[in-house]
Structure formats: C-alpha cells, structure tokens
Amino acid sequence: MIEQDTSYEALTEIILGLTEAKTGSSDPQLRGALTVLLQELTEIENKGGLCLEWKSDDEKLRCIDILKSAGLIAEGADLDTAHPYQMRNVCLFVADRSEPGKVRIYSHRSFFGESRLAANIAALAKAPSSGAACVDKLDALEAKAKEMGAFQLNDGQRQAASLALQNNFSVICGGPGTGKTTSVVRFLEVALQNCPEASVTLCAPTGKAKSRLNESVIYSAQERPNLYPLVKKAADEERIQSLTIHKLLGTPLSNGERPSRTNPLETRILIIDEGSMVDEHLADSLFSVIDPHTTKTVVLGDKHQLAAVGPGSVFADISNSSGPLSRFSCELTESKRFKKDSLIHKVATHILNLENKTADLHEFEALFEGAETNGAFGAVGLFYDKPNKESGLSATAKKWLEEKINGYAAAVKSLRQTLSTIKLDDAEETDTQKLPQPLHDALKVAWNSLSGFRPICAQRRGAFSLDAVNRFCDQVLRKKLNCRNEDEFYVGKVIIVRKNDPSGISNGDVCILLPIWFKNEDQPSWYAYVGDLDRLYPAMLLPSYDTAFGITIHQSQGSGFDDVAVFLPPITNKELEDPENGAVSLCTRELLYTGFTRAKKSCLIFGSPASVELSLSRVTERTGGLQDRLREKFKNSANP
C-alpha cells in the first residue's frame, strides 16, 4: 500500500501547482508565505487548535497579503457568516480580525465549521421556550421531595434545573459529585409534566459515559417512582433512549433517513453528557441536526477536565461564565463525592485554585505529608521513586497494584469455583436475567471488586505507562490463579472494547472474561461480562479490544472509583528541554485534575518532581474563535 504524503511540504507543492495552473504564472514570494502558514497551522492543529493566532504587528502578517493576491485567503469580515451553509468553495484560508490586536488564520473547513456551530447553538439559545411557568412546578416537586424525605436540590442544582426548564439550550458545568445528573432528573420530571409523551435522548461521546448517564437516570426513577413517576413511565415505555453521539448521528429516524440539517432529530429532549470530550467537528455534526424549535437541549460537563482529543475547546467556550452564553449556563461547585475535610477534597481544591495563583511544587507536596501510616497507603500519596527499567514500574507502584489485584483475585477464585459447578442448557440462558442466581451473584461480586480500584495512566507506552501497568497486573493475576502465560483467555482477565458494535457493546466498555460450560459440550464457551450493562457477550464475537486492568486518564473521564492511582511520566528536568519528547506534552493541569478527581476514597500519584510540577503549572490552551462567532450571532439580537 502506498502511503500519501500529507505533510505541509507536500501540501505546499500541491497548492502551488494548482495556483500556477490557474493563473499561468508563478510568484516566488508565494512559496515562502505558503510554507510559513502551512507549517505553523499544521503544528497548531496537531495540538488541538483550530487556527493560527498572530499579533496585529507581527511581521508574518505580510504572508496574508501575498496569499490574498493569489486568491488563497479571504477576510472573515467579508464573508456572510449569517448563512454558514451557503459558504462554499470561497478560498483555502480565512483571516479573522474580530478580536482587537490579533489575527486568526483558519483553514476553510475550520472557519466555516466554527461558524456553523455558533449559528446552530445561537439558534437554539434564541428559540422561544414555554418553560418559564415550569419553575413553579419545580418548586412543587421540591416540596414533595421534602415530604418524602428525599434528597433536596441545593441552590446551585435548583438554578441548573430552572435554567434547563426556562431555555431551549442550557449548559450545566460542574465537577464530579456536584449533582449534574440529579439536577437533570428533576428537570426531566417537570419537563414531562408539560409534555407527558415526549421522547428523551441521553447521549455522550463514549459508550461508557452514555451507559453511566442512562444508569443514573433510570436508577433514580426506579428508586423513587413516587417522586419521578413520569420519568419512570417514559423509561418503562422505552421513550428514553441512550446512545453514543456517533450512534445517534448514524441511526435512521422514523422516515428511514439518517439525521441531517433537513431531517433533524425527532427527540423532544436531548441531554448531552461529558461535553468536555466533544470536539469541534463532532459538535458541529451534532448541533447541525437539532431543530431549535422542537428539541430542548441540555449540555453537561466539567470545564476543568481534559479537553477533547479532537480539535477545539467547545465546552470551555460555551460554559465560560463571562462569555456570550453566560445567561444560559451555570456552574455547580458543591461536591458530594468528597467530604470537605477529606485529603482528596483538599488536593482537588488546591489544583482548581491554581487558576488564580502560581503553582508551587513544595506547597503541593506539603498536602501529602503524613498521609501514609504504619507503612500502609493513606487517603492520598505522592511517590517519586524511580521505575525499574525492565518492568517500567517502581517498587511502591508494584506494591499498590499487587494489593488491589490480590483482592480482585479472591473474587475471581470464588467466581471460578461457582462456574465449575454449573452447566447451562443453551446460549439463551446467558441472558443475565436467566442465569442461575449463584453465578449472577459471583459475577457481581467480581465486578464490584474490580470497580473498586483503577490505575489510570497518562501515557500508553514507556515507564509508568498503561502497557507497564497492564503487563504487571496480568502477571500477578495469572500467578494467583495458576493460569498459563500462553493462554489468551483466562477467567478474570479484564479487557476494554475499542469499537462500537451493533450488538450493543460500545467503545470504552470494560469487561471480565469467563468460561461458561454447556451441557453436552466438551469445551467451555468464552463470554465477556460488561458489569455496567449487566450483560454477557460471546467473547469470540467481540470487536477489537485491549487488556484493561488499567486505563488511560482520557478513558477514565466520566468514571469514579474508590481507590485510584495516577501514573504520570517520570520525566527529568533534562527531558523538559526536549521539545520532541511526547511525554512532556502530556503533563497538564487538566490531566492531573481529571485523574485525581476519579477517586472517591483514596488517590496516589506516581511520577517525578518534574512531571508533577509541570502538570501543576501548565494549562492547555487551544486556539479558536467560537466565542467571537457566538458574540456575532447575538450582536443585533433583541433576545440575547
């Protein structure tokens, strides 16, 4: 197979060739200008940015004049951004001067994608809503909750639910345990009073995130059917669907056609979770198929978490408290995941408060002093001991991992013992609702043991990496269970699915492998148990998967575990000076905050002084102008 060269040098040659063919002449200055722009734009896009940002007095701005004379760049002010769907084949690049003292340079795709996204969000926000009267109903529901002795919304959560009721578009921002989902369930119950037969769609960027959102909403309705009768009724009638965003965009509607701008989603209420994981391109695709007059949309997320893997910082832009959408957003700050006097809460709060001051490594390290008692791991821990070259892990890291795997191994041994006593009649009995109760119970015990801890890693390869963690955990568990190293499958092996599958299993789903014996068969059949879904899938039919005793910090978003170990690259001060070192680029405050706040009871950090200090001080910055595009949409609006 021949690989295409898509470097900026190759793109420069292609564009120069097309330009010369069109004009019949060549400009010697054009090559230099095009090379500068493409090289820098490529570097920015590789870092998740959408555009170049040059100061208004930068000498490189002369490149714009050269490209403009060749018809390769247009001024954003000259384009009709009010009708983004009509902007086709204008030019290759766009220069945007909407922010004083700065010039942004976009590719055609990025500028018009950003303009479309802003137009669609603004249309949603401006759409009239009949939800103002629902606030009284929310008060009545709160009074009912008080009478029943149920949880009552705090002021921030009540504001969030009210905001969602009163607007067709709203953003609820908050860290783990702040009650985003709780606010949404109250909102849904009141919204369904206005429209009892409405359909509700819960979606998220990953299968794991959409499953957790669906589980939380359905559990609330089942746990409190008298408080949430309409949510329970909608769930019982299968009017609440849960999909990944990609699945939602690819699923045909009632007319047999996939969602599009002219064939919008039919759902009346759309809840989008883990908004920080949604990149600009995916957001553009999603908001392009939402009808602002029929679908009420609520976006949930944590602006302090890691930015999306793809380009842009959509959630940070739409949740900015001083941005153009500030009246449509609110932030929840009171967390129930950590007690206020807990060490985890103190460390997490310290990381967040670095927004307003300079990071001090010694001040951060002082938070961990005295946490370890009598040689046992404490609620928090910070460890700098160097990893072994062969294993990629330190002795302390191995000790923690072995403790956790030993606990899990005990549950797996019990599961294996139960499996040895049971033979099923046929594959239909692998429905978890039909499994013999002892087997179902043993599965749940093993799953709960696994879900109680999780090592999460910044990098996939190298020291303190996901590969090192998974390799060590696999070795420990095989040894505890007396399993052969050459066996691909063994009872208790943990995997993570890497692709969505029509069977219902999704990218990001974690599974436990186990053998099930059937009567009249000489060999067992292997199955994967997805505890989040409480379902079994034939292992041989699974899409691609990886070993997953540990996961990446990116994969951990939206999850929570009692005990967490965060593994940062053990970089040295000398390595900090190497711009080509990929491990250095991973260390950011968002990554550290995301990893640390996955923990409910305890969290240990393994790394080096250099990686921890860099993570505390370095903030992810992505270039883009979504907030300026949104301001343009509201500029002449009577209903901002």
Side-chain angles (χ1 to χ4, degrees), residues 184-228:
V184 162
V185 178
R186 294 284 169 93
F187 150 73
L188 283 176
E189 182 63 27
V190 178
L192 289 171
Q193 291 178 26
N194 267 16
C195 190
E197 300 305 314
S199 57
V200 178
T201 297
L202 312 175
C203 70
T206 67
K208 177 82 171 178
K210 65 93 178 173
S211 295
R212 293 185 71 87
L213 176 61
N214 183 66
E215 179 184 337
S216 296
V217 171
I218 301 302
Y219 174 80
S220 297
Q222 293 175 340
E223 184 77 3
R224 293 282 187 179
N226 294 330
L227 185 60
Y228 303 119

Side-chain angles (χ1 to χ4, degrees), residues 394-431:
S394 64
T396 311
K398 288 180 179 179
K399 178 183 175 183
W400 186 86
L401 290 169
E402 194 160 4
E403 280 185 11
K404 299 305 176 185
I405 293 299
N406 285 345
Y408 173 60
V412 173
K413 285 181 179 179
S414 178
L415 171 63
R416 184 170 62 181
Q417 175 61 33
T418 303
L419 286 165
S420 69
T421 65
I422 293 174
K423 284 193 174 185
L424 303 183
D425 289 325
D426 52 50
E428 286 188 7
E429 291 191 4
T430 58
D431 181 333

Side-chain angles (χ1 to χ4, degrees), residues 1 174 268 283 314 334 490 499 521:
M1 184 177 72
R268 294 295 299 273
V314 177
E334 186 179 331
Y490 64 91
K499 286 180 63 178
E521 289 192 10

Side-chain angles (χ1 to χ4, degrees), residues 29-30 32-34 36-37 40 51-70 73-75 93-106:
Q29 290 185 306
L30 184 58
L34 196 55
V36 169
L37 187 145
E40 293 196 18
C51 59
L52 284 177
E53 289 187 352
W54 288 344
K55 292 182 179 180
S56 296
D57 58 354
D58 197 314
E59 290 184 2
K60 288 181 289 190
L61 288 181
R62 62 186 178 82
C63 295
I64 295 178
D65 296 328
I66 296 171
L67 294 169
K68 194 181 295 183
S69 65
I73 194 165
E75 292 288 340
F93 307 102
V94 177
D96 168 39
R97 304 176 193 268
S98 57
E99 185 173 338
K102 182 184 294 183
V103 180
R104 297 190 184 97
I105 304 171
Y106 293 80

Side-chain angles (χ1 to χ4, degrees), residues 418-490:
T418 303
L419 286 165
S420 69
T421 65
I422 293 174
K423 284 193 174 185
L424 303 183
D425 289 325
D426 52 50
E428 286 188 7
E429 291 191 4
T430 58
D431 181 333
T432 50
Q433 303 305 314
K434 299 178 182 178
L435 281 179
Q437 196 61 47
L439 177 53
H440 196 194
D441 290 345
L443 272 174
K444 298 294 283 187
V445 169
W447 179 261
N448 290 337
S449 175
L450 174 67
S451 300
F453 72 96
R454 200 59 42 96
I456 56 178
C457 310
Q459 60 181 353
R460 289 185 174 275
R461 295 173 183 83
F464 283 163
S465 68
L466 187 63
D467 280 358
V469 165
N470 280 330
R471 185 168 57 249
F472 178 75
C473 291
D474 181 74
Q475 291 170 354
V476 172
L477 186 59
R478 285 179 187 269
K479 184 176 180 180
K480 295 292 290 186
L481 300 176
N482 296 316
C483 296
R484 298 181 303 179
N485 291 332
E486 59 267 27
D487 290 339
E488 169 65 16
F489 289 172
Y490 64 91

Side-chain angles (χ1 to χ4, degrees), residues 116-130 163-164 166-171 264-265 267-270 272 283-284 286-299 318 325 327-328 630 633-634 639-640:
R116 280 193 306 269
L117 176 58
N120 288 318
I121 291 176
L124 267 170
K126 293 178 183 179
S129 174
S130 59
L163 194 73
Q166 295 179 73
N167 299 283
N168 260 21
F169 173 78
S170 57
V171 180
L265 296 171
T267 188
R268 294 295 299 273
I269 300 172
L270 177 65
I272 306 167
D284 179 23
L286 177 57
F287 281 93
S288 291
V289 301
I290 300 174
D291 186 334
H293 301 290
T294 61
T295 299
K296 185 182 284 287
T297 303
V298 183
V299 187
I318 65 176
L325 294 175
R327 64 157 290 189
F328 301 99
L630 286 165
K633 304 306 174 188
F634 286 119
N639 179 32

